[in-house]
Amino acid sequence: MPRLVLLTEGFTGRSFELKAERSTVGRLEDNNFQIPAPSVSSHHCEILLKGNDVVVKDLDSTNGTFINGEQISELGLQVGQTVRFGSIEARLEASAPTGASGKKVLDKTAVLPQGVKLNEFETGTQRITTIDKNGPFKKKTNKTTMIFIIVGAVLFIGILAILGFVLFGNK
């Protein structure tokens, strides 16, 4: 049975076995695989088991879903590939191997911190990264709210016109 193993520091070693045909990943508790991180949407993506294939489907998440660094809306995930939910990275692994005794063999996953290197600090070559409008972390546009405001304004003006006609138009 395949499983997702989290690789991001702070979540290292957490894993989720993909047992059901459909599993949800997200920040809220009602997801099958909860990842309580700010860059993970409330309901970030679905993971579908289609026979032996694992398919990842983004649920219009704010910060996107990426497989091997490429943003996806729906794509198959192979064993060994990495998937990123916002800024949280995981790897798809085959089910945990068992030894001759039947016990699970521990996986040898290691996370290397990627902080500022001492030589970058001393020479002043550290880059300051700004968020690009076309980058992977973009603000959602809320068209529904804008439509609601416009319809509300039109209705408000219409009601004022009717009241004006009723109060001042009968003289």
Side-chain angles (χ1 to χ4, degrees), residues 139-154:
K139 185 176 179 180
K140 273 189 177 177
T141 59
N142 198 344
K143 294 177 185 174
T144 306
T145 302
M146 187 56 86
I147 291 170
F148 180 76
I149 291 171
I150 292 171
V151 169
V154 169

Side-chain angles (χ1 to χ4, degrees), residues 24-102:
T24 56
V25 176
R27 191 176 64 246
L28 297 181
E29 292 178 10
D30 65 344
N31 289 288
N32 302 105
F33 188 27
Q34 181 191 15
I35 304 174
S39 68
V40 177
S41 292
S42 302
H43 297 97
H44 200 93
C45 70
E46 289 180 329
I47 300 176
L48 309 167
L49 291 180
K50 296 182 178 181
N52 291 331
D53 296 331
V54 176
V55 177
V56 179
K57 180 180 179 184
D58 186 72
L59 296 176
D60 196 27
S61 61
T62 302
N63 295 321
T65 303
F66 299 79
I67 292 181
N68 287 344
E70 205 167 305
Q71 189 166 11
I72 59 107
S73 56
E74 183 172 341
L75 189 66
L77 181 66
Q78 304 297 318
V79 171
Q81 287 186 313
T82 59
V83 59
R84 192 174 82 226
F85 315 109
S87 65
I88 305 299
E89 197 166 59
R91 180 177 55 235
L92 181 66
E93 295 183 353
S95 60
T98 56
S101 65

